[in-house]
């Protein structure tokens, strides 16, 4: 009996994503369509592949056996199709990237429009979120992260500025009312606006000056989750709610407009820039290969103009 390859691909996609909703997002489809495809596959095979409840979707023993055997075969199909794509003058397909909100806001606007102009037959799908995810279970080709968050078995390409800083700022009104701190330890006497990671951790503020490093456990009336809510924190700082520590590039427009003033600038900490990362595999999909080559070209132009230096973790 012939089996529908699209239905089998739907089974693998749902298994990888751990649910119909996530799988639908990864495939630019919809959950009901994937559910129908899985149901057809189950009817043809004569076995249940998933145990479904209102909250969870989990593979049955038969489903796990099928997916384990299907994955290599489907990967070979994708490899064969992508090899054909390599013969085209212009690569075609979709590039899916999982990126932190900071990269989507501060770095990608200088890169993505130029990439789309260079490769008009490639569609780019950006998933911006600050919590760490398994990019491949999420259906992405590559991700962008900072060095401390990279898995060791990934190939990494320098992406964007190689050095960044955290800035500490407050509104002129706040500083006039509460005074200008002259040393990081004085921040414990101030109202500070803090950010919470997806894990729930609210980190201390870290400062560097010469060989000296300080960590200060600040307090304040406002805590926001890292991501889209950071804009709320910046607006609150502009309106005098307290002192904020954030990417310098994120705060630069408000500083330039005079809405925020630098605080403790000699102590602002530097950190290395982000990396584009992807798995070490035999064939990199054509859209991703085009993007990697484009980034390498930008890195080379940056070195020539003295904008930044570039390196790699591996590969």
């Amino acid at each position: 009996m012939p089996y529908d390859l699209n239905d089998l691909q739907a089974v693998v996609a749902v298994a990888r994503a751990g649910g119909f909703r996530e799988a639908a997002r990864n495939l630019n489809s919809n959950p009901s369509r994937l559910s129908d495809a899985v149901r057809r596959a189950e009817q043809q095979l004569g076995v249940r592949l998933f145990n479904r409840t209102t909250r969870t979707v989990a593979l049955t023993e038969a489903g796990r056996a099928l997916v384990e055997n299907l994955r290599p075969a489907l990967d070979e199909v994708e490899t064969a199709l992508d090899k054909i794509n390599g013969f085209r003058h212009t690569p075609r397909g979709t590039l899916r990237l999982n990126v932190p909100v900071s990269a989507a806001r501060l770095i990608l606007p200088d890169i993505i429009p130029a990439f789309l102009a260079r490769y008009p037959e490639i569609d780019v799908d950006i998933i911006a979120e600050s919590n760490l995810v398994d990019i491949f279970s999420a259906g992405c080709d590559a991700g962008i992260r900072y060095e401390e968050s990279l898995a060791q078995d990934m190939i990494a390409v320098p992406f964007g500025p190689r050095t960044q800083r955290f800035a500490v700022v407050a509104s002129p009104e706040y500083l006039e009312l509460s005074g200008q701190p002259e040393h990081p330890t004085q921040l414990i006497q101030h109202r500070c606006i803090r950010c919470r990671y997806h894990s729930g951790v609210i980190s201390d503020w870290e400062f560097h000056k010469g060989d000296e490093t300080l960590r200060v456990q600040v307090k304040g009336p406002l805590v926001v989750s890292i991501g889209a809510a950071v804009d709320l924190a910046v607006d609150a700082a502009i309106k005098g709610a307290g002192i904020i520590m954030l990417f310098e590039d994120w705060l630069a427009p408000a500083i330039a407009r005079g809405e925020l003033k630098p605080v403790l600038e000699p102590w602002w900490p530097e950190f290395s820039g982000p990396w584009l990362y992807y798995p070490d595999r035999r064939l990199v999909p054509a859209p991703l290969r085009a993007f990697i080559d484009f980034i390498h070209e930008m890195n080379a132009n940056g070195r020539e103009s003295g904008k930044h230096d570039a390196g790699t973790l591996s590969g």
Side-chain angles (χ1 to χ4, degrees):
M1 177 187 297
Y3 296 102
D4 191 312
L5 182 59
N6 290 328
D7 291 348
L8 296 177
Q9 287 176 319
V11 171
V12 173
V14 172
R16 282 175 171 168
F20 290 96
R21 188 178 302 276
E22 285 299 312
R25 187 181 74 166
N26 297 338
L27 297 176
N28 291 325
S29 183
N30 62 69
S32 62
R33 185 176 300 169
L34 289 181
S35 180
D36 290 342
V38 169
R39 189 176 297 108
R40 285 195 299 270
E42 290 177 326
Q43 289 173 347
Q44 280 194 306
L45 293 167
V47 296
R48 179 177 288 277
L49 301 175
F50 292 94
N51 291 318
R52 306 170 181 82
T53 70
T54 56
R55 294 186 177 181
T56 62
V57 176
L59 285 167
T60 63
E61 184 177 355
R64 282 194 298 272
L66 177 66
V67 169
E68 287 174 3
N69 287 284
L70 275 179
R71 278 178 174 170
L74 292 178
D75 287 344
E76 289 296 326
V77 171
E78 291 179 2
T79 296
L81 294 175
D82 209 74
K83 283 182 178 178
I84 299 300
N85 199 7
F87 286 98
R88 296 172 46 82
H89 293 298
T90 303
R92 172 187 295 172
T94 299
L95 171 66
R96 293 184 177 88
L97 299 176
N98 183 280
V99 308
V101 173
S102 59
R105 181 184 180 99
L106 304 177
I107 300 174
L108 291 181
D110 290 332
I111 296 174
I112 295 300
F115 177 74
L116 293 174
R118 173 82 64 87
Y119 298 101
E121 295 190 56
I122 293 179
D123 297 328
V124 178
D125 186 350
I126 301 292
I127 301 172
E129 53 190 352
S130 294
N131 53 304
L132 296 178
V133 299
D134 181 343
I135 59 172
F136 311 111
S137 295
C140 295
D141 301 297
I144 298 171
R145 285 292 179 264
Y146 288 87
E147 191 166 337
E148 66 274 10
S149 302
L150 291 174
Q152 292 301 310
D153 58 348
M154 296 290 168
I155 296 177
V157 178
F159 190 86
R162 302 320 308 142
T163 301
Q164 295 180 271
R165 287 200 305 177
F166 281 119
V168 182
V169 299
S171 70
E173 293 77 15
Y174 175 87
L175 294 174
E176 182 178 353
L177 179 65
S178 302
Q180 175 99 15
E182 302 295 336
H183 191 271
T185 56
Q186 295 177 0
L187 289 171
I188 61 176
Q189 304 166 8
H190 285 264
R191 295 159 60 90
C192 295
I193 300 171
R194 297 169 293 161
C195 294
R196 179 190 292 112
Y197 289 93
H198 181 72
S199 63
V201 171
I202 301 175
S203 296
D204 296 343
W205 289 6
E206 186 171 305
F207 297 89
H208 303 291
K209 185 179 180 183
D211 295 331
E212 189 174 2
T213 297
L214 292 174
R215 296 181 69 89
V216 181
Q217 190 176 45
V218 299
K219 302 291 184 182
L222 177 62
V223 178
V224 302
S225 60
I226 288 180
V230 171
D231 280 332
L232 169 63
V234 175
D235 289 341
I238 290 172
K239 292 177 172 62
I243 299 175
I244 187 172
M245 185 181 207
L246 192 61
F247 290 94
E248 181 181 7
D249 291 341
W250 200 314
L251 297 169
I255 295 174
R257 293 191 298 265
E259 296 170 335
L260 293 171
K261 293 184 64 175
V263 174
L264 300 168
E265 187 167 0
W267 289 90
W268 290 0
E270 291 186 349
F271 57 97
S272 60
W275 301 76
L276 175 78
Y277 69 100
Y278 59 98
D280 186 3
R281 55 190 179 190
R282 286 182 302 165
L283 181 71
V284 175
L288 176 57
R289 170 51 58 193
F291 192 66
I292 293 167
D293 292 341
F294 189 77
I295 296 304
H296 278 309
E297 181 182 326
M298 293 192 69
N299 287 340
N301 291 338
R303 286 197 301 271
E304 292 170 4
S305 64
K307 291 180 181 178
H308 58 76
D309 58 349
T312 57
L313 290 182
S314 61

